[in-house]
Amino acid sequence: MSAANDAPAPKRRLAVALPLLIFVGMAAFLGWRLSLGRDPSIVPSALIGHPAPAFNLPAVPGVDRPGLSDADLRKGGVTVVNIFASWCAPCRMEHPVLRKLAESEALKAMGVRLVGVNYKDDPANAAKFLAEGGDPYAAIGMDSSGRVGIDWGLTGVPETFIVRGDGTIAYKFIGPITEEALDKTVLREIEKALP
């Protein structure tokens, strides 16, 4: 008899069954977590419910918009802060949706405004991007170093934050805003953030 056959049968069965039991346990746990109704693609932000980080960004050269600071977010009304870059393909995809948001007379009447943070971009490219696609932003700060993006917990561009009139971050949307996301998520979150 070989040494492998010398092991008692129950130990051999356990050695074979243990990886299967671990796999079944993990699958059950993941299935249970998904059944809770939470979207696993949503990455929570530690900043939700906290004041926006302090920042003071200059205007983008060649763009006729003022720069942006955290003080601008505490002037009442809801501010939608969109972090974008001209080199970002998804930013280009969401741009028409942002124009629609900014042009909404109903949102303007409620004091909602859209501002931008231009992230790690060449100023000439940013100006060209906005000239070609239209400039929906009331103000744009230039984050050349990416420091403000880090402070805001940026995971990539584009990302959009909804900020209450007192400067408190109410919501974070990761990725490009589509028409569907605007209607089903972003507008609802803006409404929740209104005073």
Side-chain angles (χ1 to χ4, degrees):
M1 264 187 133
S2 72
N5 291 334
D6 291 345
K11 284 188 178 180
R12 270 198 321 252
R13 279 190 233 133
L14 181 61
V16 170
L18 190 58
L20 181 61
L21 289 172
I22 291 171
F23 173 77
V24 169
M26 288 176 54
F29 174 75
L30 291 173
W32 170 73
R33 290 291 292 164
L34 289 173
S35 72
L36 294 177
R38 185 177 170 274
D39 184 348
S41 68
I42 296 173
V43 178
S45 172
L47 295 177
I48 304 296
H50 296 280
F55 69 97
N56 189 5
L57 294 173
V60 177
V63 176
D64 188 25
R65 293 285 187 262
L68 185 66
S69 75
D70 60 300
D72 296 322
L73 307 179
R74 295 189 300 271
K75 293 183 175 179
V78 171
T79 304
V80 179
V81 180
N82 177 251
I83 303 178
F84 75 99
S86 66
W87 46 262
C88 161
C91 297
R92 291 180 180 275
M93 290 173 18
E94 83 171 347
H95 204 71
V97 178
L98 293 177
R99 282 198 327 267
K100 178 181 173 182
L101 186 151
E103 293 166 1
S104 168
E105 293 301 325
L107 291 176
K108 286 179 189 175
M110 292 185 279
V112 177
R113 69 186 194 128
L114 173 67
V115 298
V117 173
N118 185 234
Y119 181 75
K120 291 187 171 185
D121 209 348
D122 176 84
N125 291 342
K128 183 179 177 188
F129 169 69
L130 294 169
E132 291 172 354
D135 184 352
Y137 304 107
I140 306 172
M142 185 164 183
D143 185 14
S144 299
S145 69
R147 181 73 231 173
V148 171
I150 291 169
D151 291 345
W152 281 69
L154 186 69
T155 59
V157 288
E159 285 188 7
T160 303
F161 295 82
I162 297 171
V163 182
R164 292 187 187 99
D166 64 357
T168 303
I169 297 175
Y171 184 77
K172 177 181 181 177
F173 187 89
I174 297 174
I177 298 174
T178 61
E179 290 277 350
E180 182 180 2
L182 178 66
D183 294 338
K184 291 185 176 179
T185 305
V186 175
L187 292 177
R188 290 179 184 175
E189 294 299 331
I190 289 172
E191 187 177 327
K192 288 181 195 176
L194 288 168

